[in-house]
């Protein structure tokens, strides 16, 4: 499982010209899922996301996790293109991206686990939809994490 996490001032998802979800300050998380992913990968990434100290404290130092930022939100969007292979040729291959029958339940488990750790509702896109994602990256702070390339925490 691969995620791209961005600290944002605001973020939103629209589908067919209609606003689906939006947050103010918080985290925008794009999620890519492959067939090798397990519940352990979900647990690892969700724990990391909740503990990352990437928000400014009163001294202006990135020292706070999202759980300690008043009024923060989290928006999670599925993005199979995160699993792209660009090793050969000029057209990305998506053979590593899971099909919906596996990816949808894993995506839903990821969102549910984040929500249980966060204690607030997680905003989402719609799996497989043609979404228009808007955000104002804060910093910019953008972090890529892959559950197959774990670092101990």
């Amino acid at each position: 499982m691969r995620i791209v996490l961005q600290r944002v001032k605001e973020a939103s998802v629209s589908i067919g010209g209609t606003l689906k979800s939006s947050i103010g300050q918080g985290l925008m998380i794009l999620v890519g899922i492959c067939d090798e992913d397990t519940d352990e990968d979900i647990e690892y990434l969700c724990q990391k996301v909740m503990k990352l100290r990437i928000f400014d404290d009163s001294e202006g130092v990135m020292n706070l996790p999202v759980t300690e930022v008043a009024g923060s939100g989290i928006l999670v969007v599925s993005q199979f293109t995160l699993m792209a292979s660009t090793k050969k040729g000029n057209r990305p291959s998506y053979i590593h991206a899971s099909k919906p029958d596996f990816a949808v339940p894993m995506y839903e488990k990821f969102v549910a686990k984040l929500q249980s750790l966060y204690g607030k509702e997680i905003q989402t896109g719609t799996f497989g939809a043609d979404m228009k994602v808007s955000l104002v990256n804060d910093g910019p702070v953008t972090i890529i994490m892959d559950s197959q390339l774990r670092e101990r925490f």
Side-chain angles (χ1 to χ4, degrees):
M1 186 171 287
R2 191 172 291 159
I3 67 172
V4 174
L5 176 144
Q6 295 178 297
R7 185 179 77 178
V8 298
K9 287 290 189 188
E10 60 185 54
S12 64
V13 174
S14 296
I15 301 169
T18 302
L19 181 66
K20 162 76 168 78
S21 298
S22 66
I23 61 169
Q25 179 182 23
L27 298 175
M28 167 73 195
I29 303 172
L30 304 173
V31 181
I33 298 166
C34 69
D35 289 341
E36 293 77 26
D37 290 331
T38 66
D39 290 348
E40 186 178 309
D41 295 299
I42 291 170
E43 179 71 26
Y44 170 78
L45 287 173
C46 289
Q47 291 289 342
K48 276 302 253 192
V49 166
M50 288 295 110
K51 293 176 182 176
L52 279 178
R53 299 180 337 175
I54 60 171
F55 289 89
D56 292 348
D57 62 16
S58 61
E59 305 294 318
V61 176
M62 285 197 295
N63 203 26
L64 300 175
V66 69
T67 54
E68 294 182 29
V69 178
S72 64
I74 298 176
L75 175 59
V76 178
V77 175
S78 62
Q79 189 171 357
F80 77 94
T81 60
L82 289 180
M83 304 313 292
S85 174
T86 58
K87 186 174 182 178
K88 293 167 52 175
N90 294 319
R91 181 179 300 188
S93 169
Y94 302 106
I95 61 171
H96 299 296
S98 291
K99 302 286 186 250
D101 62 329
F102 180 78
V104 170
M106 291 298 282
Y107 171 75
E108 290 172 349
K109 285 181 187 180
F110 181 85
V111 171
K113 182 62 182 181
L114 265 185
Q115 190 160 300
S116 73
L117 293 171
Y118 191 46
K120 299 184 211 176
E121 184 179 358
I122 302 293
Q123 299 299 308
T124 64
T126 299
F127 192 96
D130 180 12
M131 297 175 274
K132 305 304 177 216
V133 178
S134 298
L135 62 98
V136 176
N137 194 318
D138 182 17
V141 175
T142 301
I143 298 171
I144 300 170
M145 288 188 273
D146 189 319
S147 62
Q148 302 301 311
L149 304 173
R150 295 180 191 193
E151 296 175 345
R152 297 265 181 222
F153 64 98

